[in-house]
Amino acid sequence: MPHDGAGQPADLGRVKGVIGLGLPTVAMGLLGLAMLPVEAAALLIVPSLVTNVWQLLAGPLFGALLRRLWPMMVSIVAGTLAGSGVIVGTDAGAATAFLGAALALYGVVGLAKPRLRVPPAAEPLAGPLVGAVTGATGVFVIPAVPYIGSLGLERDDLVQALGLSFTVSTLALTAGLVLHGALPLATTAISVLAVLPALVGMAFGAWLRARVRPEVFRLCFFVSLLLLGGELAWREMAS
């Protein structure tokens, strides 16, 4: 299993520190160039969980957000557990192509910046539906991130809500991989080693967030996701 790029966890953590998301998303895409998606998911479990919990606990409204979003979180768990068998058992080429398509779609949505707004009355139905679809994809960003962004949360509350969603998703994915025997001990040990550089990168990213124009970084981030996802999907379809 290739593990090139000693500074990569710090770079990915820096992405997460700046905009509140990105470590699992970018890492899944980059690692997908060198290994199977299920291997990349296993490798990312520990650093993703640690940085997501950090992000979750940094905000002021954990209790209120949990009361509001718990139906979505329950559906994420159910969808992830149901979809984990597909992720583990899917043909490697098809799984990589799907990952690429999901990342490209996420890039398009991010660049389009659709002005979505979900009315509070629709949340009891929309939240569980979005959670189930998000869990089933195994990427954790589509459609969860656009949906959470449509709830009208303030910036810090939005970052904390994303941390909650990603934390639950990571724990559910871990359970799914264990359930299907796809979480080897060696991979878990390597995953633990990636925590420190990821935390350093995340702390630097939080510092950078206050000093970089958000729109410039956002543009670079989503264009990169679009190109990376397109490359993954095209490479598998052309092979």
Side-chain angles (χ1 to χ4, degrees), residues 1-9 31 34-35 39-40 43 186-187 190-191:
M1 182 184 302
H3 300 292
D4 296 333
Q8 190 177 68
L31 294 176
M35 64 183 69
E39 294 174 334
L43 182 62
T187 301
I190 296 172
S191 184

Side-chain angles (χ1 to χ4, degrees), residues 174-188:
T174 302
L177 293 178
V178 171
L179 181 65
H180 294 282
L183 191 61
L185 183 60
T187 301
T188 306

Side-chain angles (χ1 to χ4, degrees), residues 11 14-19 21 208 212-223:
D11 296 336
R14 189 155 52 241
V15 170
K16 185 174 181 67
V18 172
I19 63 175
L21 56 101
L208 195 63
V212 174
R213 289 178 57 194
E215 286 304 312
V216 173
F217 188 87
R218 180 186 181 91
L219 176 64
C220 295
F221 176 71
F222 286 114
V223 167

Side-chain angles (χ1 to χ4, degrees), residues 75-165:
S75 292
I76 285 178
V77 173
T80 302
L81 292 177
S84 59
V86 177
I87 296 172
V88 171
T90 300
D91 172 77
T96 302
F98 176 80
L99 171 62
L103 292 177
L105 177 60
Y106 182 34
V108 169
V109 171
L111 291 172
K113 293 191 295 186
R115 295 183 177 275
L116 303 176
R117 194 60 180 267
V118 175
E123 289 184 33
L125 177 61
L129 178 61
V130 168
V133 174
T134 299
T137 65
V139 182
F140 305 149
V141 291
I142 293 292
V145 172
Y147 172 76
I148 293 175
S150 73
L151 298 180
L153 299 172
E154 297 296 329
R155 185 185 68 173
D156 290 342
D157 300 337
L158 173 62
V159 170
Q160 188 174 27
L162 291 171
L164 173 61
S165 177

